[in-house]
Amino acid sequence: MLKEKAVENFLKKGYSCSESVALAAYECGLTKENLLTIAGSFSGAMSSGCLCGAVAASQLVIGHRYGRENAYNSTENVRAIAKELIDRFKAKHKVTCCRVLTANFDFHSPERKQHCSTMVADCCDILEGLIKEIEEKKTTV
């Protein structure tokens, strides 16, 4: 459900990659607060061309759920979770740099938008999978 909402936000509702992930996480109940306004600054690889906005927003969600003084009172190691997200993304795409991920596309082209929707979808799959693994681990302990 997270992936579908995020891709719809990105392709049909005019949200950026980072905003789409953050808003979908809220809509799916993965965050207790809407991180949309914060995620806006991560759009377009934070305007630097480096870190993919979908990856950055996924990290925001992880921090919100599992970071210090978070809304979920978790004792999880937030940095280990963040690293795992990066490792899984890199296993699929080799890099997290927006400039590299989109090197073959004109910035404003529909082809780039479609390509980036794959990054949004993949980040959501990874994020949702990590959260599910953590929550399942908690229930078996």
Side-chain angles (χ1 to χ4, degrees):
M1 177 97 107
L2 177 67
K3 173 172 60 176
E4 291 80 9
K5 284 186 176 292
V7 171
E8 180 181 354
N9 290 341
F10 185 66
L11 291 177
K12 297 181 180 169
K13 294 185 178 179
Y15 291 101
S16 72
C17 53
S18 58
E19 292 170 330
S20 296
V21 172
L23 180 58
Y26 177 70
E27 292 170 333
C28 291
L30 299 179
T31 60
K32 292 182 180 181
E33 294 177 42
N34 188 345
L35 303 175
L36 179 64
T37 56
I38 298 167
S41 65
F42 294 99
S43 302
M46 295 177 269
S47 298
S48 72
C50 200
L51 181 64
C52 168
V55 172
S58 297
Q59 296 288 13
L60 279 174
V61 173
I62 288 170
H64 179 72
R65 280 188 75 92
Y66 303 113
R68 189 184 322 256
E69 298 181 24
N70 66 70
Y72 293 85
N73 297 316
S74 175
T75 58
E76 297 297 321
N77 182 340
V78 70
R79 290 183 65 195
I81 300 165
K83 182 182 181 317
E84 185 62 26
L85 182 127
I86 295 294
D87 290 346
R88 291 182 188 188
F89 188 86
K90 282 183 171 181
K92 192 161 196 155
H93 298 286
K94 308 290 183 235
V95 297
T96 58
C97 178
C98 178
R99 191 178 306 121
V100 175
L101 291 165
T102 61
N104 297 325
F105 301 94
D106 176 75
F107 188 82
H108 297 290
S109 72
E111 293 82 14
R112 181 181 189 270
K113 184 89 169 174
Q114 190 62 47
H115 175 72
C116 288
S117 73
T118 302
M119 303 307 127
V120 168
D122 289 346
C123 281
C124 288
D125 279 342
I126 295 166
L127 178 60
E128 202 165 39
L130 284 169
I131 291 170
K132 183 178 178 185
E133 290 169 24
I134 292 164
E135 299 306 318
E136 285 175 354
K137 183 174 71 173
K138 284 181 181 179
T139 61
T140 59
V141 173

